[in-house]
Amino acid sequence: MADSFDLGEPPQPVKAEAYRVLARKYRPQTFAELIGQDAMVTTLGNAIARDRLAHAFLMTGVRGVGKTSTARLIAKALNCIGPDGQGGPTIDPCGVCEPCRAIAEGRHIDVIEMDAASHTGVDDVREIIDASRYAAVSARFKIYIVDEVHMLSKNAFNALLKTLEEPPAHVKFLFATTEVNKVPITVLSRCQRFDLRRIPADKLAKHFAEVCEKEGVAAESEALALIARAAEGSARDGLSILDQAIAHAGLEGGGVTADAVRQMLGLSDRGAVRDLFAMLLAGDSAGALGSLRRQYDYGVDPVAVLRALLETVHGVTLSKVGGTDDLAQAVEERAARTDWAANLSFPALHRLWQLLLKGHDEVAHAALPIEAAEMALLRVIHASSLPDPGELARRLAGAPEAAPTQAPAPVPAAPPPPASLVPADFAALVDALDGGGQLALAARLRHGARLVRYAPPEIVFSGSRPIATDTLAELAAALKCMTKQVWKLSLDDVPGEPTLNERQLAADAAERQAMLDTPLVRAALAAFPGAELEWPNQRSTA
């Protein structure tokens, strides 16, 4: 009989491990890996060490800052038993014991995760309430993690309240939400709340550099800084962008470059933005439009150009007030902003901000974005030569002009300063306000103000015809801007003089009557019975 041989199972091909995106691969597994949330980690560590654990925790913050990851870490911290199986709750879970590994892999029977976006009803919450009565099967605590808890219905929240306030000792609730304002106050008051902060751009860039090193990918520091800023404080968003940038780099081995990231994200080149901003300040219309068109031809969204200009104005303003430099910015960028801050006044910066912000909103909703962007830049250039309100008031009052804050069109030389900035009388003061663009204020004073005393820097008005308090406040501000003095404005309960309008009408009437009294006009009226004198100067000063 022939011998039979058992050759066993044929060799199986090695199954390639499925690729995991960076946001999942580098999800924090310990509190030490949770970046940017030091205050929360300290609080939790102290609570665990002192055995002062709340029965419900609420994590809130923008997307991708680690809310769900934190909930899982808390679950591990509370249920960790250590490598030897004898450990207790700890802020540094071992990661090797069975509870730690099961929770990290999402298979622990006593750690139940529920997405409130797809389980919004009262029946879903009732299942949690009923199951919470039973003790944990193998863990120290039975933990319920409810993601996007604000999506629960009103009835579901109401059903949860009693159990949430007095849960069994073996149950912990961990809630996560991006919209904490939608969570009822009755739920918030029963939870220990942690507001997870946006992660600073410098910490994100450092984290991305570590990820690139682990992945064996070369990346320029400027590229990582661009990704960190685009992430807007979200580690998950940043890792997703980094994943895309690595794929965009391809197999050539060039790594992740700043130019490639700008092209991928549709960002304006910072050098081009600096050049464009300088052209706006110099009033170079043709150069500014040409620069905008070049960026548009490269594929840059016009909205992104306006956004970059807004960021520049904001950075210059922060530099002017002595803010801390953004170390993620290039040296050339910081030097340019410092130079502009020294030469631009706050009114000029505020005006630039408002003009660019208006332009950004227009371009974002325009049917013709590039054309709207060009018109917005032209408006900025042409408005740059206009004086600010304070300078305009000084000009109208005859004050010397302030030094130019920008380099637009040349401004005519100012007249020599007068002996005083204070108008000679009340009528001259109202005329100065009218000429300075304060038309509504001047009209209210002409028609409603009865003067008692004009003794600069003090004005007393009659209280028999009161002036609104907001009018007095507006007048005080205008006078301070015009004369560089603080004025005292008050009311006195006396009749006061007629208003300027009443005085003007009376003067017109007296002039007309004097004309009627002349022999020539009397003779003409007598010769033509029924004739009337047309009086072109009869007017109101409204």
Side-chain angles (χ1 to χ4, degrees):
M1 185 172 111
D3 293 335
S4 61
F5 296 94
D6 184 6
L7 300 178
E9 291 290 332
Q12 299 294 325
V14 178
K15 189 175 181 180
E17 184 179 353
Y19 175 71
R20 284 195 302 162
V21 295
L22 298 181
R24 292 185 59 198
K25 186 176 182 180
Y26 292 98
R27 184 188 293 270
Q29 298 300 319
T30 65
F31 282 104
E33 297 175 4
L34 189 67
I35 58 176
Q37 312 300 339
D38 298 340
M40 181 198 67
V41 174
T42 301
T43 303
L44 281 173
N46 292 339
I48 292 174
R50 299 175 183 177
D51 195 20
R52 300 179 64 88
L53 291 169
H55 56 268
F57 298 88
L58 175 70
M59 274 68 68
T60 178
V62 299
R63 69 201 182 280
V65 293
K67 299 183 296 297
T68 307
S69 296
T70 299
R72 292 174 180 171
L73 289 176
I74 294 175
K76 289 169 64 175
L78 297 183
N79 284 325
C80 177
I81 59 176
D84 58 358
Q86 303 301 316
T90 174
I91 196 63
D92 296 312
C94 66
V96 298
C97 65
E98 176 57 25
C100 284
R101 289 188 287 108
I103 293 172
E105 296 168 6
R107 57 179 176 81
H108 201 293
I109 193 172
D110 291 319
V111 178
I112 302 96
E113 291 194 32
M114 186 184 87
D115 178 20
S118 55
H119 299 80
T120 62
V122 65
D123 291 336
D124 300 305
V125 171
R126 189 174 291 118
E127 291 182 9
I128 294 178
I129 297 172
D130 293 340
S132 66
R133 300 192 184 103
Y134 303 101
V137 175
S138 61
R140 186 178 294 112
F141 294 103
K142 178 178 284 190
I143 294 178
Y144 292 94
I145 300 175
V146 183
D147 202 7
E148 299 301 339
V149 69
H150 66 273
M151 300 291 287
L152 290 179
S153 66
K154 181 179 179 181
N155 290 337
F157 273 124
N158 290 336
L160 185 62
L161 285 179
K162 189 62 178 177
T163 301
L164 187 61
E165 184 172 19
E166 297 178 359
H170 59 272
V171 173
K172 302 291 182 185
F173 289 98
L174 306 178
F175 300 137
T177 178
T178 54
E179 300 183 52
V180 69
N181 57 300
K182 294 184 179 180
V183 179
I185 189 64
T186 50
V187 173
L188 292 177
S189 63
R190 290 166 166 83
C191 299
Q192 188 171 103
R193 172 175 168 177
F194 292 108
D195 290 82
L196 276 67
R197 303 174 56 185
R198 290 180 184 269
I199 305 172
D202 58 337
K203 289 189 176 181
L204 280 178
K206 181 181 178 182
H207 178 57
F208 298 157
E210 295 172 354
V211 169
C212 287
E213 184 178 355
K214 293 176 182 177
E215 291 291 309
V217 176
E220 295 179 358
S221 58
E222 185 179 357
L224 297 180
L226 289 172
I227 295 173
R229 283 197 292 271
E232 296 182 342
S234 169
R236 183 175 64 235
D237 286 9
L239 287 172
S240 298
I241 297 172
L242 179 60
D243 224 339
Q244 184 181 354
I246 293 173
H248 185 80
L251 302 176
E252 289 79 7
V256 179
T257 65
D259 290 340
V261 170
R262 288 193 189 95
Q263 182 180 2
M264 184 186 74
L265 298 177
L267 298 176
S268 297
D269 179 76
R270 298 308 305 180
V273 171
R274 290 195 299 272
D275 293 341
L276 177 57
F277 190 69
M279 293 172 189
L280 293 179
L281 297 182
D284 185 357
S285 302
L289 295 185
S291 175
L292 175 64
R293 277 287 176 176
R294 283 192 297 274
Q295 295 189 62
Y296 181 71
D297 292 340
Y298 288 145
V300 179
D301 188 350
V303 174
V305 178
L306 272 295
R307 186 184 301 116
L309 290 172
L310 281 167
E311 291 174 353
T312 300
V313 174
H314 178 255
V316 172
T317 306
L318 291 184
S319 180
K320 190 170 184 66
V321 299
T324 305
D325 288 337
D326 183 0
L327 298 180
Q329 295 284 0
V331 176
E332 297 83 3
E333 182 81 7
R334 296 200 297 270
R337 291 184 177 186
T338 301
D339 184 57
W340 286 323
N343 292 284
L344 291 171
S345 68
F346 283 115
L349 289 169
H350 294 327
R351 183 169 52 195
L352 279 170
W353 175 264
Q354 293 298 331
L355 291 169
L356 290 171
L357 187 62
K358 178 177 174 60
H360 178 275
D361 293 342
E362 291 175 353
V363 174
H365 300 93
L368 302 171
I370 183 61
E371 288 80 1
E374 289 176 338
M375 296 302 293
L377 295 188
L378 289 175
R379 182 169 60 219
V380 172
I381 291 173
H382 294 152
S384 65
S385 61
L386 299 176
D388 60 72
E391 183 181 349
L392 182 61
R394 286 192 295 272
R395 290 190 194 181
L396 294 170
E401 294 186 1
T405 58
Q406 307 184 54
V411 181
S420 174
L421 299 177
V422 180
D425 53 29
F426 184 65
L429 184 148
V430 174
D431 289 341
L433 292 173
D434 200 351
Q438 302 275 0
L439 306 181
L441 176 60
R444 293 199 298 270
L445 294 175
R446 278 201 179 93
H447 288 267
R450 295 185 183 275
L451 186 68
V452 174
R453 184 170 69 256
Y454 180 77
E458 180 183 4
I459 305 178
V460 181
F461 296 103
S462 171
S464 61
R465 186 171 180 175
I467 303 176
T469 54
D470 57 345
T471 299
L472 289 180
E474 187 178 349
L475 176 59
L479 289 176
K480 183 178 179 181
C481 181
M482 179 190 301
T483 66
K484 305 304 179 186
Q485 297 184 54
V486 177
W487 288 61
K488 180 182 178 182
L489 307 180
S490 59
L491 298 175
D492 193 357
D493 194 17
V494 295
E497 302 175 2
T499 66
L500 294 178
N501 191 59
E502 291 171 344
R503 287 159 58 183
Q504 184 63 60
L505 293 175
D508 286 345
E511 188 176 354
R512 182 176 187 277
Q513 187 59 48
M515 182 62 71
L516 290 171
D517 290 342
T518 61
L520 180 61
V521 174
R522 283 205 305 268
L525 293 177
F528 301 97
E532 293 184 359
L533 176 64
E534 290 290 340
W535 190 249
N537 292 331
Q538 187 73 25
R539 64 188 183 276
S540 170
T541 59

